[in-house]
């Protein structure tokens, strides 16, 4: 698979991807880049987990990867780690930071370094079910419809301006695993499409609203 760095001498819109796990969203984004489906390239893939499969999926595609230890905390990066993540992303000259199953909260310095340039995918229709295992929260609550949300990252947990959402039905007999799989299927379509729209300048952020330009949609 070819990953172009330059098109007609112009630098493409470049992503820095952060993930902690399997990397199925990363694969969907990388495949959309490789096929030319979205006008972006991946500058670097970073993980807080040394043996995370997302790093293997990136190496298989010839992309630069780095494991950066998160430091002393369980749910966030310590100061040294935060600086190392910022430096790696700046060195790769990324235009957008894409969280793809990155299980650490990003705050303060990091968000100041990439103001309005960090997006995340969350496995529920926010603002319902923020936080961990959102598909399980939805199943336990008994909702009939859930889904996934692409949103900008702000100082809160899963609270930033919403860019795009996709509904997913909860079916009779669903288990946490079957519902999660159905949501992840939707994520793999929604996330690349939302990133493509950002790269093409089809959507702009105005306060809490994200405004799609005339005619643009996903
Ligand atoms: C995805 O389902 C994503 O929505 C979730 O982690 C999974 C990562 O899967 N993210 C969160 O829960 C963030 N709060 P992947 O590694 O296969 O892309």
């Amino acid at each position: 698979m070819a990953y172009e760095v330059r098109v007609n001498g112009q630098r493409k819109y470049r992503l820095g991807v952060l993930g902690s796990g399997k990397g199925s969203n990363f694969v969907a984004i990388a495949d959309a880049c490789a096929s030319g489906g979205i006008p972006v390239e991946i500058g670097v893939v970073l993980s807080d987990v040394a043996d995370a499969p997302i790093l293997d999926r990136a190496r298989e595609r010839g992309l630069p990867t780095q494991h950066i230890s998160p430091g002393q905390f369980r749910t966030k990066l310590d100061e040294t780690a935060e600086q190392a993540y910022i430096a790696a992303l700046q060195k790769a000259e990324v235009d957008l930071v894409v969280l793809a199953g990155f299980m650490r909260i990003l705050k303060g310095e990091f968000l100041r370094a990439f103001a309005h340039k960090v997006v995340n995918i969350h496995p529920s229709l926010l603002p319902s079910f923020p936080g961990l295992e959102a598909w399980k929260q939805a199943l336990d609550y008994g909702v009939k419809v859930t889904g996934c949300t692409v949103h900008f990252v702000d100082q809160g947990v899963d609270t930033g301006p919403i860019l795009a959402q996709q509904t997913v039905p909860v079916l009779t007999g669903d288990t946490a695993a079957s519902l999660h799989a159905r949501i992840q299927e939707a994520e793999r379509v929604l996330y690349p499409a939302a990133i493509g729209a950002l790269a093409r300048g089809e959507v702009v952020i105005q306060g809490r609203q994200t405004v799609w330009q005339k005619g643009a949609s996903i």
Side-chain angles (χ1 to χ4, degrees):
M1 258 182 283
Y3 286 84
E4 289 183 6
V5 177
R6 310 256 157 189
V7 172
N8 297 330
Q10 294 218 317
R11 197 168 78 67
K12 270 194 185 176
Y13 190 82
R14 188 175 296 174
L15 312 180
V17 181
L18 273 57
S20 308
K22 203 160 56 134
S24 67
N25 279 285
F26 160 73
V27 167
I29 295 162
D31 287 352
C33 294
S35 70
I38 57 175
V40 304
E41 63 180 3
I42 296 172
V44 71
V45 178
L46 305 177
S47 183
D48 56 325
V49 178
D51 59 355
I54 189 173
L55 292 176
D56 298 325
R57 301 292 83 76
R59 285 188 207 109
E60 287 162 11
R61 290 166 168 77
L63 294 168
T65 63
Q66 201 180 334
H67 162 245
I68 304 178
S69 167
Q72 56 182 309
F73 302 120
R74 205 173 51 83
T75 58
K76 62 178 187 176
L77 304 175
D78 72 13
E79 216 174 292
T80 309
E82 191 175 57
Q83 286 306 326
Y85 276 83
I86 293 171
L89 292 162
Q90 285 176 340
K91 186 163 168 243
E93 298 182 3
V94 306
D95 300 296
L96 186 72
V97 179
V98 173
L99 307 185
F102 189 64
M103 301 315 271
R104 305 255 164 194
I105 296 164
L106 295 168
K107 288 191 171 238
E109 273 305 298
F110 189 96
L111 295 182
R112 275 190 288 280
F114 301 102
H116 307 304
K117 287 184 180 163
V118 185
V119 290
N120 181 43
I121 186 141
H122 182 77
S124 75
L125 294 175
L126 291 171
S128 292
F129 312 124
L132 294 175
E133 298 191 324
W135 61 90
K136 192 167 179 303
Q137 294 185 51
L139 195 64
D140 292 347
Y141 195 94
V143 295
K144 301 296 182 198
V145 176
T146 183
C148 51
T149 302
V150 179
H151 65 94
F152 286 98
V153 176
D154 66 6
Q155 298 280 347
V157 176
D158 302 323
T159 53
I162 289 171
L163 186 55
Q165 293 186 300
Q166 176 62 53
T167 56
V168 170
V170 181
L171 303 179
T172 305
D174 255 339
T175 60
S178 65
L179 180 56
H180 190 201
R182 194 174 310 115
I183 293 170
Q184 286 201 303
E185 210 175 298
E187 290 182 343
R188 293 193 287 267
V189 178
L190 190 71
Y191 213 4
I195 290 166
L198 282 173
R200 287 188 290 264
E202 290 174 355
V203 56
V204 292
I205 181 169
Q206 288 177 5
R208 273 212 63 83
Q209 314 299 322
T210 54
V211 181
W212 290 76
Q213 304 305 289
K214 212 169 168 210
S217 65
I218 55 173

